[in-house]
Amino acid sequence: MNRTIGIVLIIIGAAMLIWTGFSYTKKEKVVDAGPLQISVNKQKTVNWPPYLGGILLIGGIVVVATAKKT
């Protein structure tokens, strides 16, 4: 089980180092006055620090290295 968790941490850490965030579009209502509705597409961005990916990557390597073989 520990080996699987370590591999998942390595994959997530590497992905976080390669892609430091992502953006998406959200539709928001600006005006809602009876039958009149105006909406706007707003772009939102989610970013995470690259050192967090490095920590996950190193942690995954440590977990895999210290996992007991059955």
Side-chain angles (χ1 to χ4, degrees):
M1 184 68 178
N2 284 343
R3 188 173 212 110
T4 305
I5 293 171
I7 291 170
V8 169
L9 286 175
I10 290 170
I11 292 169
I12 293 172
M16 288 178 75
L17 282 173
I18 294 169
W19 296 287
T20 58
F22 62 93
S23 60
Y24 63 95
T25 303
K26 184 176 180 182
K27 195 171 199 173
E28 294 183 4
K29 285 185 184 178
V30 177
V31 176
D32 188 10
L36 178 66
Q37 294 182 358
I38 300 174
S39 59
V40 174
N41 291 332
K42 290 196 175 188
Q43 190 170 10
K44 305 281 185 173
T45 304
V46 178
N47 293 319
W48 49 77
Y51 66 82
L52 185 60
I55 291 171
L56 289 176
L57 182 67
I58 292 170
I61 292 170
V62 169
V63 169
V64 169
T66 59
K68 293 182 180 178
K69 293 183 180 179
T70 56

